[in-house]
Amino acid sequence: METNTATKLILIAKIAKERKTEKFTSLMHLLNAEYFYECFTELKKRKAAGIDGRTVESYSDGEIKQILSQTVEAIRQKKYHPRPVRSVAIAKDNGKTRSLGIPTVVDKVVQLAMTKILTAIYEPSLLDVSYGYRPERDAHTCLKAVNHMIMQKKVNWIIDADISGYFDTIDHTWMMRCISEKIADPNFKSLIMRFLRAGTMKENIYQGSAKGTPQGGIISPILANIYLHFVLDLWFERKEKRTAIGYVELIRYADDFLIGVQHAEEAKQILTDLADRLKKFGLRLAEEKTSIKEFGRFALENQTKRGKRKSETFDFLGFSHYCSSTRDGRFMVKVITSKKKMKKSLTTMHRFLKSVRVNKHPKDIWLTLRLKLQGHYNYYGVSGNIEGLKHYDKKTQEYLFYWFSKKSQRDRWNREEFRRYLARYPLPQPKLTYAIYNTW
């Protein structure tokens, strides 16, 4: 019996792990109709449509199977061309917007199929310093690694770096050279390039893609990880760490990364080297968001001697990190929800409650409200951040009472009615859900 693609991917991952220099020369046969249909069933429903206006749930089983069979044939004949992604503007924390690209359902299927192949080939080679968009790794494990690095290693300085418009500025030529390190199948590489150059459609105006990979595409995270694996991770491991006199370490989550450094002069040199390295590959540091912070076991003491009341802080993955101490005086790194993430979360909650308060009874929005609260607590409920959770809970209840006290005379709440309703239909309570250090 013929082995299916899922089984073959397990074998590919095994070969990639055992033979680090292996190049894969034949991959296109993996892209078959059965595999595409499996990928289709994994796509999330109730998501925005691409430029063709079709959603996952709009396809019947028979229709999508026929279309996917036709797609396989088009790929084999080299006639398949991904359609431009539909560009939509998403608000950023700084008040600006970023573009999100929404592919068609069929293109999502092909991207997911290719992403699984790329993951099987590259995942065994990616370094442990990388945490974003990888199996069995997430933002919490990354935060834990940052905490342990500062708490357990000789870190006195943090390079807080930001790559300007990373996903929009990836160089396609260099990207394909990175891909060629492990893939020698010209047709598979050609298919990747077609996705990179598919372009965007905004308000019926097409714009080509000379560089970058659209945020929103299923294949974009793995391509972005592969790019920074060669551009940043390996370079830092082989050059900066080997030439450093003191301790240095890089921790990366997608395009967000920190570098812990022991000596100030080395921190300055690494930052200079980093800017030069990124420039070579078409990237640049956002100067206004990149800095060297004195941070670590002796930072508070040193800055107190210089007349500063508080030590420096840095934001990473939605949390502000600051130097503190335990009750018995030992050094400790603590975190709290960053101000800009708190502001964004509360603004989103405020708008949600404002939008539903007119025509809906509380019981009609309670399920959604509970999910929103629990989702916030699940992410931000890390060691030491209970005050951040309580603030979010308090403000949410204030918004809730405010908007539902403005309903019609018949439906509006007073304070006592509000308290009784919460007692009868309680909302999730602030609760720590993830330990980044073992003190609770």
Side-chain angles (χ1 to χ4, degrees):
M1 186 175 67
E2 185 178 352
T3 306
N4 63 26
T5 297
T7 303
K8 290 178 181 177
L9 289 181
I10 295 174
L11 178 60
I12 287 174
K14 184 175 185 293
I15 293 172
K17 183 177 181 180
E18 295 175 351
R19 307 177 201 168
K20 297 297 185 181
T21 60
E22 184 78 13
K23 284 195 175 185
F24 294 85
T25 58
S26 179
L27 297 171
M28 293 301 287
H29 67 283
L30 299 172
L31 302 178
N32 55 63
E34 179 185 5
Y35 178 44
F36 278 175
Y37 182 71
E38 290 177 4
C39 291
F40 171 78
T41 62
E42 295 178 25
L43 295 181
K44 294 180 180 179
K45 296 183 178 181
R46 295 183 293 278
K47 293 296 182 179
I51 63 170
D52 61 354
R54 299 295 300 269
T55 60
V56 171
E57 53 268 30
S58 74
Y59 288 95
S60 67
D61 202 52
E63 182 186 13
I64 192 61
K65 285 182 177 180
Q66 181 181 1
I67 291 174
L68 294 179
S69 293
Q70 294 169 349
T71 302
V72 170
E73 189 60 29
I75 290 174
R76 286 175 179 170
Q77 295 180 10
K78 301 180 183 179
K79 296 180 179 180
Y80 170 76
H81 294 277
R83 303 187 69 176
V85 297
R86 184 168 68 87
S87 179
V88 295
I90 304 296
K92 296 175 65 175
D93 296 335
N94 58 8
K96 297 181 181 180
T97 62
R98 65 179 176 88
S99 294
L100 184 69
I102 304 174
T104 65
V105 171
V106 173
D107 288 341
K108 283 182 180 180
V109 169
V110 181
Q111 285 194 37
L112 179 56
M114 296 177 71
T115 296
K116 290 185 176 185
I117 294 170
L118 288 169
T119 300
I121 293 171
Y122 278 94
E123 175 60 27
S125 298
L126 299 183
L127 303 186
D128 286 341
V129 301
S130 169
Y131 290 85
Y133 307 111
R134 296 183 61 187
E136 299 180 10
R137 287 169 171 248
D138 58 17
H140 288 148
T141 54
C142 187
L143 288 166
K144 191 170 186 176
V146 170
N147 182 273
H148 287 191
M149 175 183 72
I150 299 171
M151 291 282 290
Q152 299 176 7
K153 305 298 181 179
K154 296 178 180 180
V155 172
N156 297 314
W157 304 87
I158 291 289
I159 299 176
D160 184 6
D162 185 276
I163 301 177
S164 180
Y166 173 62
F167 283 86
D168 296 329
T169 54
I170 291 176
D171 184 279
H172 290 173
T173 301
W174 279 114
M175 179 79 255
M176 296 315 298
R177 289 183 65 174
C178 294
I179 294 294
S180 296
E181 287 292 313
K182 285 193 167 294
I183 295 176
D185 185 332
N187 293 324
F188 193 84
K189 291 192 290 184
S190 175
L191 196 53
I192 292 175
M193 181 58 84
R194 288 186 180 190
F195 272 108
L196 290 174
R197 293 182 173 173
T200 61
M201 190 73 75
K202 186 176 183 179
E203 297 177 352
N204 294 321
I205 299 175
Y206 172 77
Q207 183 174 352
S209 303
K211 59 182 178 179
T213 175
Q215 294 190 61
I218 293 174
I219 201 171
S220 293
I222 183 64
L223 291 179
N225 258 346
I226 291 170
Y227 200 69
L228 282 184
H229 168 70
F230 289 104
V231 172
L232 180 61
D233 302 353
L234 283 179
W235 165 79
F236 190 85
E237 192 75 16
R238 295 173 178 176
K239 182 184 182 298
E240 298 298 324
K241 289 188 74 171
R242 290 181 181 178
T243 58
I245 296 174
Y247 175 83
V248 296
E249 189 62 79
L250 166 76
I251 294 178
R252 178 173 68 84
Y253 187 92
D255 59 323
D256 293 330
F257 64 94
L258 300 171
I259 301 174
V261 188
Q262 184 175 357
H263 302 303
E265 290 305 313
E266 287 196 320
K268 295 176 184 177
Q269 185 59 54
I270 289 173
L271 188 55
T272 299
D273 295 345
L274 177 62
D276 292 340
R277 175 68 177 179
L278 294 178
K279 183 179 180 180
K280 178 181 177 180
F281 295 91
L283 305 172
R284 68 178 182 86
L285 290 171
E287 294 183 6
E288 70 280 6
K289 297 180 181 179
T290 299
S291 60
I292 299 174
K293 305 284 183 68
E294 185 173 11
F295 197 97
R297 192 172 302 276
F298 305 107
L300 186 59
E301 178 183 344
N302 293 339
Q303 291 175 27
T304 299
K305 290 179 181 178
R306 292 195 292 270
K308 291 186 177 181
R309 293 184 177 183
K310 295 182 178 181
S311 62
E312 294 184 287
T313 65
F314 66 88
D315 288 357
F316 188 60
L317 299 182
F319 293 88
S320 292
H321 295 65
Y322 62 98
C323 297
S324 186
S325 59
T326 61
R327 291 180 179 179
D328 57 0
R330 290 177 290 122
F331 169 71
M332 187 176 189
V333 179
K334 290 187 177 182
V335 299
I336 191 167
T337 309
S338 70
K339 289 182 179 180
K340 69 177 183 179
K341 290 297 183 183
M342 179 65 77
K343 181 180 179 180
K344 182 179 180 180
S345 296
L346 290 174
T347 298
T348 300
M349 178 62 76
H350 188 266
R351 288 173 178 169
F352 164 71
L353 293 174
K354 179 181 178 181
S355 68
V356 299
R357 102 282 187 189
V358 177
N359 298 318
K360 292 190 177 183
H361 190 273
K363 66 179 181 180
D364 297 323
I365 70 163
W366 231 241
L367 176 60
T368 303
L369 180 58
R370 288 178 62 87
L371 291 173
K372 287 180 176 292
L373 285 167
Q374 194 59 60
H376 184 92
Y377 300 152
N378 286 346
Y379 183 79
Y380 288 101
V382 305
S383 304
N385 192 32
I386 192 64
E387 292 305 317
L389 301 189
K390 287 180 177 179
H391 178 71
Y392 181 77
D393 174 66
K394 179 182 177 182
K395 295 298 291 185
T396 296
Q397 291 198 28
E398 288 178 4
Y399 296 155
L400 190 59
F401 176 76
Y402 176 81
W403 286 115
F404 281 86
S405 66
K406 286 185 172 294
K407 290 168 71 68
S408 66
Q409 186 68 36
R410 181 175 60 85
D411 295 328
R412 72 175 54 177
W413 278 335
N414 59 40
R415 288 288 181 183
E416 184 57 34
E417 289 171 333
F418 180 49
R419 283 193 290 267
R420 286 201 303 267
Y421 197 88
L422 285 180
R424 187 175 180 184
Y425 303 103
L427 294 170
Q429 294 299 299
K431 182 181 179 181
L432 301 181
T433 57
Y434 190 87
I436 58 174
Y437 46 79
N438 301 319
T439 57
W440 51 272

